[in-house]
Amino acid sequence: MDIENKVVVVTGASSGIGAAIAKAMVRSGANKIALLARSEERLQKVAAECEADGARVFVYPVDLSDSTAAFRAIQSVLEEAGVPDILINNAGSGRWRFLQEIPQDEIVEMMALPYFAAAWMAQGFLPGMLTRGSGHILNISSVASRMAWPGATAYIAASRAMRGLSDALRADLHRTKINVTHYESGPIQTLYWINNPDSRERIPGIARLLIPALSEDQVAHAVVTGIRRNKRFIVIPGMLKVVYLLYSAFPWLVQWLMTRTGHQLSVTAKTLTD
């Protein structure tokens, strides 16, 4: 899809790859962009940069884990910016933890962001896209959509849900002119690792060795390119594609390496009852 003069919605747009994608969309010609996230202050900073590049920007401070708030924001976008041509589902949350380390409310929130929020956004905007006869939905996930490792249980489950949503939507829409793209990659250099310092150590050693961390701008560039080319999947960096090929041929070996070189569960590890 051509991005020039299009209406774009980006969730999780206040920082990190969401902000980078929003700015890249504007630089690529999007003339209206709606930014959704919890922090109004940070959204306004991203909005100012997008406006400086010539776009009309709509800011919606919203907790997308709340369905009522999410659908209220969707209605506001439709009324103020119009039916989006491109929807980027990027909102997400959650720490990498073993299941017994995670509070129940955090498990719920990790499924709400990203999966529930992405489903609600698509549900709210699809009728307008179908009536118009065009659109593009891109769901941001990670390598956890396909592979698992120790110490990130709820995160991996939520990522699998995002992959399922992308695949199911693509099947639903196969007779339409609405495209669905699923994005997945290895680690990205964002504030997530600073805000969750004990998560980075849980990246499996084999992944650290083989898959280089990406910058936010690399992700944004890949997203823009993927939308322009109507790609079904975006998988970066290139080395991750090689790992996937190995995984398809020798799933037991790759999974063993991910597990064996991952963060190991200790019988003395902290649990919710400690």
Side-chain angles (χ1 to χ4, degrees), residues 15 17 20 24 33 37 55 60 70 77-78 86 119 125 131 149 154 184 186 193 228 237 241 261:
S15 63
I17 63 173
I33 189 158
Y60 302 96
V77 171
L78 292 172
I86 300 167
F125 292 129
T131 298
W149 59 89
E184 48 194 83
W193 305 110
R228 282 177 169 160
K241 296 178 183 178
T261 66

Side-chain angles (χ1 to χ4, degrees), residues 110-111 115 144 152-163:
M110 289 177 73
M111 190 58 71
Y115 170 65
T153 317
Y155 171 83
I156 291 169
S159 296
R160 298 292 175 89
M162 285 294 280
R163 173 68 182 272

Side-chain angles (χ1 to χ4, degrees), residues 69-135:
F71 280 103
R72 190 182 300 122
I74 289 167
Q75 189 59 40
S76 295
V77 171
L78 292 172
E79 292 173 357
E80 297 169 6
V83 177
D85 298 285
I86 300 167
L87 168 62
I88 308 291
N89 283 314
N90 171 66
S93 70
R95 299 175 294 169
W96 290 14
R97 293 288 184 273
F98 290 103
L99 191 61
Q100 70 275 16
E101 297 176 314
I102 312 173
Q104 292 180 353
D105 59 347
E106 191 169 334
I107 295 175
V108 172
E109 183 173 4
M110 289 177 73
M111 190 58 71
L113 297 170
Y115 170 65
F116 292 158
W120 292 330
M121 290 289 107
Q123 187 179 47
F125 292 129
L126 267 174
M129 290 182 175
L130 288 166
T131 298
R132 184 181 56 210
S134 66

